[in-house]
Every structure is written in C-alpha cells, then in structure tokens.
Amino acid sequence: CVTGLTIRHVRERFQRSNETISNYFCKMLDILSSHPFYTQYIHLPADDAPVSSKIRDNPKRWPYFMDAIGAIDGSHIHAFPCSYDRHLYQNHK
C-alpha cells in the first residue's frame, strides 16, 4: 500500500474482507504494470542519467546505491514484507 498500511488496516477502513482487498490490489497492480498505462506513464531514466543528488550526497544512502543499476530517480521505496518473508528482503538494493 502506498500509505504503508497492512491489508488488515485497509480491511477495517473499507469494511471488506482480506480476500476482496487482496483481489483489488492485484487488479490495480495488473493495470499499473500493463500496456497502455505502463508505456504511457512510466519513464525509466536513461543509462547515462546522473544519480540524484538526494542519494549521492546522503552518506546513509549512497553506500547502498553506489553500484545499483537503475535506481529510481532519487526515490526511496518503503517495503513492508510479511514477518516470515522479511529476512529475504533485508540488506538488498
């Protein structure tokens, strides 16, 4: 979720089941990642695009992004994996 809320919180907010919330999340993910939406609105940086100064000048982030290929234009994406999957996502670029 963009807000960082869990499915449980979204379920409470919209008074729908976990299955309904999950189904609509998958539908939106499919829409946002498929043609024509993706090709019209998603613009990847060029291979020779400079790294954003928000990352390059930040000593907390630069060591982790220094060798990354295709970091997203200075954005930091918060990920909230399930507790049993969390170890798979730690220390990854």
Side-chain angles (χ1 to χ4, degrees):
C1 223
V2 172
T3 60
L5 296 175
T6 63
I7 287 180
R8 186 175 353 122
H9 288 101
V10 176
R11 178 192 71 198
E12 290 296 321
R13 166 66 178 88
F14 293 104
Q15 296 295 302
R16 298 289 186 260
S17 69
N18 283 355
E19 183 179 7
T20 300
I21 299 297
S22 182
N23 286 339
Y24 276 99
F25 178 80
C26 289
K27 286 180 184 182
M28 291 304 299
L29 190 59
D30 287 341
I31 289 169
L32 296 174
S33 63
S34 64
H35 181 76
F37 184 89
Y38 186 84
T39 55
Q40 184 173 354
Y41 294 104
I42 305 299
H43 304 287
L44 299 176
D47 290 338
D48 60 347
V51 177
S52 169
S53 62
K54 289 180 181 180
I55 291 176
R56 191 181 58 247
D57 298 337
N58 186 330
K60 291 183 179 179
R61 291 188 177 159
W62 181 242
Y64 302 104
F65 285 96
M66 184 169 34
D67 297 323
I69 299 172
I72 303 173
D73 69 2
S75 299
H76 179 76
I77 300 172
H78 295 282
F80 298 96
C82 299
S83 60
Y84 56 85
D85 282 340
R86 198 163 291 146
H87 71 281
L88 300 172
Y89 295 91
Q90 290 177 338
N91 300 322
H92 284 78
K93 295 180 185 177

